[in-house]
Amino acid sequence: AESHGGCSYCAVAALSCMGRLDALKGREDLVMWLGQRQVGGFQGRIGKDPDSCYSWWIGSSLQILGAHEVVNQEACVEFIRSCQTRYGGFSKIPGGSPDPLHA
């Protein structure tokens, strides 16, 4: 199975909601993998371009894990702002059209 930022968030958030983050094995490896997805914004999978929604999925995962210090916040904010459109809302990538999933 391929590692994926969205699925990682779902697992981490579910464990958190159940009060079971302590059951997470390999937390340090997960934090390292999540942190390595930052290339300005965050990519959801290795080798993919950064994307506004993955910036949320992975940023939120790191926040839940108490590891937000691994995020280059200035770079992430700059990336998210570059996805904001003149029409309002956000696109998946800089220069894209806004859509409900990313806005």
Side-chain angles (χ1 to χ4, degrees):
E2 182 177 24
S3 299
H4 191 281
C7 295
S8 298
Y9 168 80
C10 291
V12 167
L15 287 171
S16 178
C17 287
M18 294 185 296
R20 294 298 316 272
L21 275 176
D22 60 322
L24 179 62
K25 294 183 182 350
R27 180 191 179 283
E28 295 80 17
D29 290 335
L30 177 59
V31 167
M32 184 175 65
W33 184 85
L34 292 167
Q36 289 172 343
R37 302 288 58 79
Q38 186 167 18
V39 288
F42 285 88
Q43 54 185 191
R45 294 175 283 157
I46 294 171
K48 299 293 184 179
D49 291 332
D51 177 319
S52 61
C53 70
Y54 286 121
S55 296
W56 186 88
W57 294 113
I58 293 180
S60 295
S61 297
L62 289 166
Q63 181 69 31
I64 292 168
L65 292 167
H68 60 277
E69 70 279 355
V70 305
V71 176
N72 178 334
Q73 293 180 9
E74 288 181 31
C76 193
V77 167
E78 184 177 327
F79 175 78
I80 295 297
R81 285 186 177 152
S82 74
C83 294
Q84 189 171 11
T85 71
R86 63 185 173 134
Y87 310 109
F90 293 84
S91 63
K92 175 179 177 171
I93 58 173
S97 297
D99 65 79
L101 178 63
H102 298 90

